[in-house]
Amino acid sequence: MLCSRATRPFASAFVRTAPLRVVRHSSAASEGAYEHLKVTTPRPGVGLITFNRPKALNALFTPLFHELNAALRAFDSSPEIGAMVLTGSERAFAAGADIKEMKDKTFADAYGADFIEMWSDLMHIKKPVISAVNGYALGGGCELAMMADIMYCSVGATFGQPEIKLGVIPGAGGSQRLTRAIGKSKAMEMILTGNNLSGKEAGERGLVAKVFDSAQECVDGALDTAEKIASYSKIAVKAAKEVVNKSQDLGVREGIEFERRVFHGLFGSKDQKIGMTAFAEKKKPQWTHE
Ligand code: CAA
């Protein structure tokens, strides 16, 4: 069951190192089932996943990813959920791949077992995901935040791909997504030097959609946006996410053709009739998600 606005969990101060507080358990992804995450449904239609490994600054390791993927899939398949928010603590979104977990791996371990392949399951989630980044988002943490559909951060956020300092390179898409987001020269500089980008700079360079003054405002802002998205037709939202993502893979001409086909297809949905009729009759649309 979803909870109302009146029971929002973020009215009080953001706890510095602790993850976000739980308000109501989701029937889709029960909080009790997770050790390294907090999973809640703080707003109508919104699933919130909070990394909960404070002692390791939310360093990303295999058990956490098993849980994250399960929580994402549960929300993705829940008819109650329309959008998700992914966040960490005020100190760290995630300080990267767990260096202690991977330091002794051999090439055969990494290549043979497709190490970190499962980190990209987020890419297969069909509902919109917003990352709300506070504190460190380094290495795999930065890469995971960039896999989300919308990125928000607070001014105090720190983005970086410091793998070069460990004798490796980004391995979860950082070299590709960061380059597309902020351009080759700046991405190259960050990846080759290991230098970080502040939250403020991330906003200026278009890595994130919005920069907030505080961690609290960042999470609240992400929840506001997720709630707004969740209030629309799920069919239209799904189609919108799909066509925007296609722009990353297709040339402009093919992308526009794809968009047109999907646009035409939506005239077969009930929600297109509901949305346009409601506008013409000056009423609020009551979506059926069909
Ligand atoms: N892996 C494992 N443990 C980590 C970690 C990581 N990536 N980042 C932080 N921790 C642990 C620390 O070891 C420390 O644990 P102990 O108390 O048991 O020693 C705890 O978190 C707190 O960290 P610090 O004491 O270092 O905190 P700090 O405030 O002094 O520094 C920091 C914070 C700058 C984020 C620093 O911890 C740091 O540089 N972390 C590593 C960042 C990094 O290199 N990330 C990239 C990893 S590689 C990767 O992600 C590959 C990929 O592309 C998939």
Side-chain angles (χ1 to χ4, degrees), residues 60-285:
L60 302 166
F61 70 152
T62 305
L64 185 150
F65 267 97
H66 283 300
E67 293 188 0
L68 176 61
N69 291 340
L72 287 168
R73 278 196 298 270
F75 280 144
D76 209 26
S77 59
S78 167
E80 295 176 355
I81 297 297
M84 293 162 240
V85 174
L86 195 57
T87 195
S89 67
E90 184 171 4
R91 194 169 167 212
F93 178 80
D98 190 319
I99 299 165
K100 294 163 195 170
E101 182 193 41
M102 67 182 165
K103 72 180 175 48
D104 295 323
K105 281 191 191 299
T106 63
F107 170 75
D109 293 335
Y111 183 65
D114 293 319
F115 177 53
I116 75 170
E117 183 134 321
M118 61 177 300
W119 290 33
S120 299
D121 283 10
L122 178 50
M123 284 167 55
H124 305 299
I125 296 301
K126 302 283 173 65
K127 290 175 185 167
V129 179
I130 304 172
S131 55
V133 178
N134 297 299
Y136 295 110
L138 300 177
C142 183
E143 291 169 308
L144 190 63
M146 290 192 292
M147 284 180 214
D149 302 300
I150 302 172
M151 284 174 80
Y152 287 170
C153 76
S154 55
V155 276
T158 300
F159 296 92
Q161 298 290 164
E163 291 88 348
I164 200 81
K165 297 179 187 173
L166 300 168
V168 290
I169 63 168
S175 63
Q176 308 303 299
R177 291 196 179 90
L178 192 64
T179 305
R180 279 176 172 76
I182 65 173
K184 179 185 159 186
S185 184
K186 187 66 189 170
M188 193 70 94
E189 182 194 46
M190 284 177 68
I191 289 165
L192 293 180
T193 63
N195 289 350
N196 294 331
L197 197 69
S198 70
K200 186 170 172 286
E201 288 171 306
E204 287 163 2
R205 295 191 165 273
L207 177 63
V208 300
K210 267 186 207 156
V211 183
F212 295 84
D213 288 336
S214 70
Q216 181 74 57
E217 287 168 275
C218 175
V219 175
D220 282 345
L223 292 172
D224 287 345
T225 299
E227 188 177 347
K228 186 171 196 175
I229 293 168
S231 75
Y232 295 127
S233 160
K234 289 189 175 65
I235 294 287
V237 167
K238 182 174 181 174
K241 171 168 170 166
E242 189 180 3
V243 296
V244 173
N245 277 338
K246 272 284 186 264
S247 74
Q248 305 298 293
D249 303 327
L250 299 179
V252 174
R253 187 178 162 160
E254 294 90 342
I256 289 170
E257 281 170 7
F258 179 76
E259 180 199 74
R260 192 69 39 81
R261 294 288 88 76
V262 176
F263 173 71
H264 289 161
L266 287 173
F267 284 82
S269 74
K270 283 189 185 166
D271 282 346
Q272 174 269 330
K273 300 287 175 294
I274 289 167
M276 294 191 184
T277 305
F279 176 83
E281 295 177 355
K282 300 191 187 303
K283 289 181 182 162
K284 193 171 184 280

